[in-house]
Amino acid sequence: MSPHKKYIISLGVDISNNDVRTNPKINRIVDSEVKRRLSKLGIKSCISNITGDDIVITSLVPENLIEENNRIVFEILKEYAEGFSDLNGISDTAEGAGEGISYAIAEAISEYGDALIVAFDTYGGESFVDEIALFVKEIGEKFGYDVGCSVSNTARKIPGVGYTGAESDDPVVIITTKNLEDISKIACLIYGGLLNYDRLYFVKRGEGADILPPGVVYTISAFLNGNVIDLYEGIKKRVKF
């Protein structure tokens, strides 16, 4: 790693006290706090995805501030979360880690850290959601993008926080792009590819997991210089579904 490099980091967590949707008031507070605290360090950060009862906080981070970014995000989540199952899964050791935060990191390859963030939430779909996330990862890699994915067969270290367990079941995938024009291409490729999976539902950012279980919901967001665009409506208009 070079000290001049920047990275896109996404931390996904079940923040709710139910298994279906999040609390918009809590989301607004968390989003405001990560922006306020991390902007003081020159980090652009916000809630990029809200999927079922999970949120994903995504940051554009210089290499030397990765641990500090993660630590501050974790502190904010611990202060404001309504549910603590994922937060309590974090451990100081790999052996003690349980189902916890989903963590992904990828190198920012554009000046503004342009990236796609794909986030999943399961309601009884734990047995197949990792396969879907890895499929998205493969799409990004096939077209030469830098990709980060939270799926792991072993406990994973989150710098500045601790270890999260392999059983974490609401994965997140980051695909960083060089040109803004790539966002449309890769987002539509992902959407089209995921049509092959049964019991998988593409939803708007913030929509609850109102599905026939068992199943999985997912969102796709563009993270552009710290700004977020939910790509649901854009893809809907493009492919006319």
Side-chain angles (χ1 to χ4, degrees):
M1 290 186 181
S2 161
H4 302 294
K5 288 184 178 179
K6 292 186 178 181
Y7 293 82
I8 302 296
I9 293 175
S10 289
L11 294 103
V13 61
D14 177 352
I15 196 175
S16 182
N17 58 4
N18 66 78
D19 294 326
V20 180
R21 65 191 77 251
T22 61
N23 182 335
K25 180 179 178 181
I26 298 298
N27 294 344
R28 287 193 294 270
I29 293 172
V30 170
D31 191 56
S32 176
E33 282 297 291
V34 295
K35 288 176 178 175
R36 182 183 67 84
R37 292 186 59 181
L38 292 171
S39 65
K40 295 177 181 178
L41 301 175
I43 296 172
K44 295 183 178 180
S45 182
C46 63
I47 294 179
S48 61
N49 298 61
I50 305 170
T51 315
D53 65 348
D54 286 80
I55 65 169
V56 175
I57 297 173
T58 298
S59 306
L60 174 60
V61 189
E63 181 201 14
N64 62 323
L65 293 175
I66 289 175
E67 290 193 10
E68 186 72 356
N69 173 82
N70 298 346
R71 183 186 64 79
I72 289 172
V73 169
F74 188 63
E75 286 179 356
I76 292 170
L77 290 171
K78 286 181 68 176
E79 183 173 356
Y80 295 106
E82 293 181 319
F84 290 87
S85 57
D86 285 358
L87 297 173
N88 290 339
I90 299 297
S91 172
D92 292 334
T93 65
E95 295 75 19
E99 183 179 328
I101 293 173
S102 299
Y103 180 73
I105 180 170
E107 183 180 344
I109 55 177
S110 77
E111 180 183 355
Y112 301 107
D114 296 342
L116 284 173
I117 315 297
V118 186
F120 301 85
D121 182 42
T122 58
Y123 202 107
E126 290 83 0
S127 63
F128 59 90
V129 68
D130 283 357
E131 176 189 346
I132 297 171
L134 290 172
F135 176 77
V136 173
K137 176 176 180 281
E138 289 172 5
I139 290 175
E141 290 174 338
K142 181 178 179 180
F143 288 90
Y145 301 101
D146 201 66
V147 181
C149 180
S150 67
V151 176
S152 174
N153 293 323
T154 60
R156 185 172 185 184
K157 186 174 183 180
I158 302 177
V161 173
Y163 289 86
T164 188
E167 50 275 90
S168 299
D169 59 6
D170 296 319
V172 58
V173 181
I174 302 167
I175 301 174
T176 60
T177 64
K178 186 173 184 180
N179 302 305
L180 191 60
E181 292 78 9
D182 294 340
I183 294 289
S184 176
K185 178 176 72 174
I186 196 71
C188 290
L189 283 170
I190 290 169
Y191 169 74
L194 293 183
L195 289 175
N196 292 301
Y197 289 90
D198 294 329
R199 296 176 292 169
L200 176 66
Y201 306 88
F202 183 34
V203 298
K204 294 180 182 179
R205 182 180 186 266
E207 187 172 321
D210 299 312
I211 59 174
L212 290 170
V216 175
V217 295
Y218 76 100
T219 58
I220 308 176
S221 296
F223 182 84
L224 309 168
N225 200 29
N227 301 299
V228 172
I229 300 174
D230 175 23
L231 297 184
Y232 178 89
E233 291 295 342
I235 293 174
K236 180 180 179 180
K237 291 172 183 175
R238 179 75 175 269
V239 302
K240 297 180 174 61
F241 64 85

